[in-house]
Amino acid sequence: LTWLFLSLCLCVSAAPFSPDSAHAQADADPAEVDASALPLIGDLLANLPTMEELLRDPPVDWIVVKTLKDRVVIVEPIDPRPNTLETLPTRIEEFSATRRKPNESVEERQQRFRDLHYLKVFLENDENEYKIHVDEIQEIIHHEDQMLLRIDALLEENSFNDALQLIFTLYGLRPDWPGAADRHHRLLFKEAQSLREQDQTEAALVRLEELHALRDDYPELQAALGTTADVSSLSFTNFQ
C-alpha cells in the first residue's frame, strides 16, 4: 500500500497532500495510481469490524480524503484525538497568537506554521511517516468511533451483553470518549424495555434505576420508572 499512497500524494494534490520528504523512501510513479485499491467509506460502514475484530486486532483509524471521492486511507491511531479536525485549527490559532522563539529564524517559524496544517500519519505495517493536509480530510472515523458504530449495531440486535462488553472496553481505553456514555445510557434503557416485555419487571426496574443514577434527565426515563414500578408493585401484591 505504501507505493499507492505515495502515488496518491504526488498525483492528487502535490501541495496539500504529500509525504514527509524526510521520511518517505518509496519510489512511485504517479501514472500507476489506482485509487480503486483503497476501500470506499460506504463499504467499510456496511461491513463494520466485528466485536471480536475490534477487541483482537490492532486499532486503526479511517481517513476519508476529499480528493479521492469517498476512498479511505487506513492508518495507525492518530494524534490528537478525539475531535481531531476540531483540534487542529485551534492549534493553528494558538500558534498565531505566539511570538517567535528565541534564536528561531523566520524560516523555522514559518515551517512550524506550515507543519500545523498537516496531519502526520503512519500506514499499517509501515514505519514511514506521511502528511495529509487538513483541508484534504473530509472525515476521520477513529477506532473508538468504530467501536461506537458496532455498539449501535449490537443494540439494534438487542445483543446487550456484547454491547456492554464493548462499552466497558471503550471506557477502559478512553472513558471520556464522545458518545460512549450516551451508548451506555441507551443500552440500559433498551435493556429495561426488553426485560419489561419479557415480564421481568424487577430486573427492568434495576436497569432503569442504574440509568437514573447516571443520567436522571434521560428522555422518557421518569415515565418508564413510574410504569415499571407500578407493574412491579402489582406483581408483588398478586404474589402475596
Side-chain angles (χ1 to χ4, degrees), residues 176-222:
D176 59 345
W177 192 265
D182 291 340
R183 267 59 172 200
H184 190 189
H185 302 160
R186 183 182 171 207
L187 180 147
L188 291 171
F189 192 79
K190 281 183 64 71
E191 188 174 13
Q193 288 180 314
S194 179
L195 290 168
R196 170 73 184 279
E197 291 170 358
Q198 300 171 52
D199 294 326
Q200 299 183 45
T201 53
E202 289 291 340
L205 190 58
V206 169
R207 298 296 185 277
L208 292 174
E209 289 173 344
E210 288 180 35
L211 176 56
H212 185 271
L214 294 172
R215 183 184 169 187
D216 58 7
D217 64 344
Y218 190 87
E220 301 181 27
L221 173 59
Q222 295 301 327

Side-chain angles (χ1 to χ4, degrees), residues 146-162:
Q146 297 164 39
M147 296 178 73
L148 293 179
L149 292 172
R150 173 50 63 188
I151 290 168
D152 289 339
L154 290 170
L155 290 179
E156 288 301 314
E157 301 167 0
N158 286 352
S159 299
F160 301 120
N161 290 337
D162 288 347

Side-chain angles (χ1 to χ4, degrees), residues 40 118 188:
L40 286 164
Y118 289 84
L188 291 171

Side-chain angles (χ1 to χ4, degrees), residues 64-237:
V64 185
V65 182
K66 294 177 181 178
T67 46
L68 299 185
K69 299 180 180 179
D70 294 329
R71 298 286 173 178
V72 177
V73 177
I74 299 178
V75 301
E76 294 183 1
I78 58 180
D79 182 70
R81 65 197 302 118
N83 302 320
T84 303
L85 294 181
E86 292 77 19
T87 301
L88 293 176
T90 301
R91 288 186 174 186
I92 295 172
E93 292 177 6
E94 292 174 350
F95 179 86
S96 299
T98 64
R99 295 186 176 183
R100 182 154 48 97
K101 293 180 178 180
N103 302 321
E104 181 183 40
S105 68
V106 173
E107 292 75 14
E108 289 172 335
R109 178 174 172 82
Q110 289 175 339
Q111 184 59 54
R112 282 205 297 138
F113 180 73
R114 286 192 294 269
D115 288 343
L116 289 174
H117 291 74
Y118 289 84
L119 180 66
K120 297 179 180 179
V121 301
F122 292 87
L123 306 183
E124 293 181 283
N125 305 314
D126 188 340
E127 295 181 356
N128 295 317
E129 182 182 89
Y130 304 95
K131 294 179 180 180
I132 304 178
H133 196 282
V134 176
D135 290 344
E136 292 296 311
I137 300 174
Q138 176 176 318
E139 182 183 9
I140 298 175
I141 301 179
H142 300 87
H143 171 71
E144 294 84 351
D145 298 320
Q146 297 164 39
M147 296 178 73
L148 293 179
L149 292 172
R150 173 50 63 188
I151 290 168
D152 289 339
L154 290 170
L155 290 179
E156 288 301 314
E157 301 167 0
N158 286 352
S159 299
F160 301 120
N161 290 337
D162 288 347
L164 188 61
Q165 181 180 351
L166 263 187
I167 289 171
F168 282 160
T169 299
L170 181 51
Y171 277 157
L173 294 173
R174 299 294 296 260
D176 59 345
W177 192 265
D182 291 340
R183 267 59 172 200
H184 190 189
H185 302 160
R186 183 182 171 207
L187 180 147
L188 291 171
F189 192 79
K190 281 183 64 71
E191 188 174 13
Q193 288 180 314
S194 179
L195 290 168
R196 170 73 184 279
E197 291 170 358
Q198 300 171 52
D199 294 326
Q200 299 183 45
T201 53
E202 289 291 340
L205 190 58
V206 169
R207 298 296 185 277
L208 292 174
E209 289 173 344
E210 288 180 35
L211 176 56
H212 185 271
L214 294 172
R215 183 184 169 187
D216 58 7
D217 64 344
Y218 190 87
E220 301 181 27
L221 173 59
Q222 295 301 327
L225 271 170
T227 302
T228 306
D230 289 343
V231 173
S232 177
S233 176
L234 178 60
S235 299
F236 180 78
T237 301

